[in-house]
Amino acid sequence: IYKTIVVFDVSDKQISTQNSFTLTGSKSFIYGLCYLDDIDRLVSAGYEPEIKFWNLDTKQIDFTISTNGWASDSYEIAHIKDEKLIALVGKDMIKLFDYTTKSFFHEIKTDGLSMNSIQYLKKHNAFVTAIKPGVIRMWSVDGRQIKEEKDIKFEAVGETPYTLYAIEEQDLIIVSTRSKFVGFVKISDGSFVKKSTGLRDGIAITVLRNAAKMIVADNQSNKLQVFSIN
């Protein structure tokens, strides 16, 4: 369980199992996934001390990058396409990896912060991570280095958001906690809209942009639930 990746067909703006397939080969829990459209590879990370890059045509692992014993807690993996970097979070740090040299690149200590999610905002050239209830931290990127920038504060909901998904063109970050809702945070001013969903344990979010829908993985019911973004 949690060691297999399932790839679904969403070509008709719906989740279809008709052409779905699985990717197997991980020896431990998989937490984060990210599709790199510039090299047509799917990235996975989790408890194993390495990052896997999957070829979706062959359905096999193409190559790996060692994390030198560090296990990622990322439920999302951030992608900086222009710099050929991916970013993961865990306890006390953010780590950057270069997938062209297939090596560790840079890290930043986060003073004891335990983080589960990270997203990259291209417009702001910054990462965002949830650090505590009601606070998303924006980390600016300067010359392929990370420096702390500012906090986006929004209506506290009693829990630190577990997952984030940024939609920059709408000035939004979608947040999910382990409660029964997701929320929408405005990047510009931190205004917050709560949306009840009936989720039992929403731990991962992705978005079908051409359909204005978000897909949330409910860990307790083992279902993918689809909601309108509007």
Side-chain angles (χ1 to χ4, degrees):
I1 189 169
Y2 305 134
K3 300 176 185 179
T4 300
I5 300 168
V6 182
V7 181
F8 295 93
D9 182 359
V10 293
S11 57
D12 292 329
K13 301 182 181 180
Q14 301 291 332
I15 301 174
S16 172
T17 59
Q18 184 174 357
N19 297 313
S20 65
F21 58 89
T22 59
L23 303 175
T24 58
S26 290
K27 298 176 182 178
S28 189
F29 288 177
I30 298 168
Y31 272 178
L33 297 172
C34 180
Y35 175 66
L36 309 183
D37 58 349
D38 53 335
I39 62 171
D40 191 26
R41 293 293 181 270
L42 183 70
V43 186
S44 67
Y47 273 5
E48 285 186 89
E50 65 181 15
I51 305 164
K52 291 181 171 60
F53 291 74
W54 302 81
N55 184 316
L56 297 180
D57 293 324
T58 65
K59 303 178 180 59
Q60 300 294 321
I61 297 169
D62 189 24
F63 64 93
T64 63
I65 297 177
S66 172
T67 63
N68 297 318
W70 181 74
S72 167
D73 291 330
S74 280
Y75 281 99
E76 271 83 38
I77 300 170
H79 180 204
I80 314 178
K81 185 191 299 187
D82 294 344
E83 298 290 342
K84 308 299 182 186
L85 297 173
I86 57 171
L88 295 91
V89 293
K91 186 176 181 180
D92 300 330
M93 67 182 63
I94 299 170
K95 286 200 173 190
L96 292 173
F97 297 86
D98 186 321
Y99 53 86
T100 57
T101 62
K102 302 178 183 178
S103 62
F104 164 74
F105 179 75
H106 179 65
E107 69 182 34
I108 181 172
K109 301 290 185 180
T110 55
D111 299 325
L113 296 175
S114 182
M115 301 170 291
N116 293 107
S117 187
I118 185 167
Q119 291 278 277
Y120 176 65
L121 306 180
K122 184 175 181 179
K123 179 180 175 181
H124 297 81
N125 195 26
F127 294 111
V128 286
T129 62
I131 62 169
K132 58 185 177 181
V135 181
I136 295 171
R137 180 154 295 171
M138 184 180 290
W139 312 80
S140 64
V141 182
D142 182 13
R144 299 189 96 189
Q145 304 291 306
I146 304 173
K147 62 180 182 181
E148 186 174 330
E149 189 176 87
K150 68 175 184 179
D151 289 344
I152 303 170
K153 296 183 178 181
F154 60 97
E155 178 189 337
V157 293
E159 296 178 71
T160 301
Y162 229 62
T163 53
L164 305 175
Y165 192 98
I167 311 177
E168 274 197 280
E169 60 270 26
Q170 296 186 35
D171 190 38
L172 285 179
I173 298 173
I174 304 174
V175 302
S176 173
T177 73
R178 306 200 72 162
S179 296
K180 300 178 180 180
F181 77 91
V182 294
F184 301 86
V185 179
K186 281 280 188 181
I187 299 170
S188 55
D189 62 12
S191 57
F192 177 75
V193 177
K194 181 177 176 180
K195 183 180 180 72
S196 179
T197 62
L199 291 169
R200 295 171 62 192
D201 189 0
I203 63 167
I205 302 170
T206 193
V207 169
L208 299 180
R209 293 172 185 262
N210 62 345
K213 295 178 179 178
M214 62 179 173
I215 302 169
V216 183
D218 190 338
N219 193 41
Q220 291 295 318
S221 66
N222 292 320
K223 293 180 180 179
L224 297 176
Q225 298 203 35
V226 182
F227 304 96
S228 171
I229 294 175
N230 300 324

